[in-house]
Amino acid sequence: AQKITQTQPGMFVQEKEAVTLDCTYDTSDQSYGLFWYKQPSSGEMIFLIYQGSYDEQNATEGRYSLNFQKARKSANLVISASQLGDSAMYFCAMRDKETSYDKVIFGPGTSLSVIP
Amino acid sequence: NAGVTQTPKFQVLKTGQSMTLQCAQDMNHNSMYWYRQDPGMGLRLIYYSASEGTTDKGEVPNGYNVSRLNKREFSLRLESAAPSQTSVYFCASSATRTGRDGYTFGSGTRLTVV
């Protein structure tokens, strides 16, 4: 079965420093998509970045980049120049195409705290 | 503002009561989803609708029913609420099957069943 693992329940980073949030996944599908979402304390889910399994380059969106290592089945999120507003829960997710319907599977999340 | 609108934002039910969570999107998206979020477990898919007129079960469908009323609206019904259904419920929609643009989520409904 498909699975997303996020081994860091909580992370701390100094403001203006870079931080990497780990994500590993398990799938036997050759074609899949990987996502990262941010959930601030207000509760909404915010889409950050997407990486397709056949994309030749790592995805980037502003201060967010995805370190995609297909052979290792990892899709780590890198946040550069952390800001106080980056304090939130971060969820790694994968689009599952093996079942008869489309769905996105979410990991348990990593709580990031940015320290002034 | 365009997006996904969920109502209500908060609800307290007694065990055995029923209720319907409403969701509407105005982005002309084909696919809509209902997730529940529990501490330490991320989001789990309850039901999914690939297009108007179709619905499918997700990972945790027991105790729930859904209706895709039209392209805009996708409701979630709890027929007989149980304390195990205490959770935060999110509705989401997506424009494309590839999902490269990600899902757009509603603001969530915090449901407590006592």
Side-chain angles (χ1 to χ4, degrees):
Chain A
Q2 289 67 41
K3 186 178 179 181
I4 297 285
T5 302
Q6 294 179 256
T7 58
Q8 308 153 314
M11 289 279 288
F12 292 88
V13 64
Q14 202 76 37
E15 191 177 7
K16 300 181 184 179
E17 297 290 315
V19 63
T20 298
L21 305 184
D22 294 341
C23 172
T24 58
Y25 58 91
D26 186 22
T27 182
S28 55
D29 199 350
Q30 296 302 308
S31 177
Y32 51 89
L34 296 155
F35 304 78
W36 278 92
Y37 286 85
K38 172 184 178 181
Q39 187 178 42
S41 59
S42 54
E44 73 268 33
M45 295 287 289
I46 302 168
F47 168 65
L48 296 178
I49 197 167
Y50 173 87
Q51 178 83 45
S53 59
Y54 290 119
D55 292 346
E56 293 185 352
Q57 295 188 350
N58 287 347
T60 60
E61 290 287 347
R63 294 186 298 109
Y64 303 108
S65 60
L66 202 152
N67 184 1
F68 181 48
Q69 299 186 44
K70 192 171 183 177
R72 294 185 177 184
K73 294 187 175 179
S74 74
N76 299 339
L77 178 70
V78 180
I79 305 175
S80 62
S82 296
Q83 302 172 356
L84 296 179
D86 293 335
S87 294
M89 283 290 292
Y90 289 82
F91 292 94
C92 180
M94 178 174 66
R95 185 177 184 87
D96 172 19
K97 289 191 173 183
E98 287 196 63
T99 57
S100 60
Y101 52 87
D102 296 323
K103 68 176 184 180
V104 173
I105 304 168
F106 286 80
T110 294
S111 176
L112 177 67
S113 296
V114 180
I115 304 167
Chain B
N1 291 334
V4 178
T5 303
Q6 284 184 241
T7 56
K9 293 189 183 301
F10 301 93
Q11 184 72 48
V12 178
L13 290 178
K14 293 182 179 179
T15 298
Q17 287 185 319
S18 62
M19 79 162 294
T20 299
L21 280 64
Q22 306 288 349
C23 175
Q25 52 91 8
D26 58 4
M27 296 170 289
N28 203 35
H29 286 175
N30 286 316
S31 300
M32 298 185 73
Y33 312 82
W34 275 105
Y35 284 88
R36 61 177 288 172
Q37 181 179 25
D38 302 294
M41 301 188 72
L43 277 74
R44 293 181 293 168
L45 183 68
I46 305 172
Y47 268 94
Y48 152 84
S49 173
S51 61
E52 183 179 354
T54 68
T55 60
D56 289 285
K57 295 179 180 179
E59 184 182 358
V60 288
N62 291 343
Y64 305 96
N65 285 300
V66 291
S67 295
R68 184 73 183 268
L69 304 170
N70 47 54
K71 191 171 186 178
R72 290 186 63 247
E73 299 173 288
F74 188 38
S75 62
L76 178 72
R77 182 162 178 83
L78 287 70
E79 291 291 352
S80 179
S84 60
Q85 294 178 304
T86 293
S87 188
V88 179
Y89 291 84
F90 286 97
C91 178
S93 68
S94 64
T96 64
R97 289 187 65 83
T98 63
R100 297 189 73 95
D101 52 341
Y103 287 13
T104 302
F105 282 84
S107 57
T109 296
R110 187 173 296 274
L111 175 67
T112 303
V113 183
V114 297

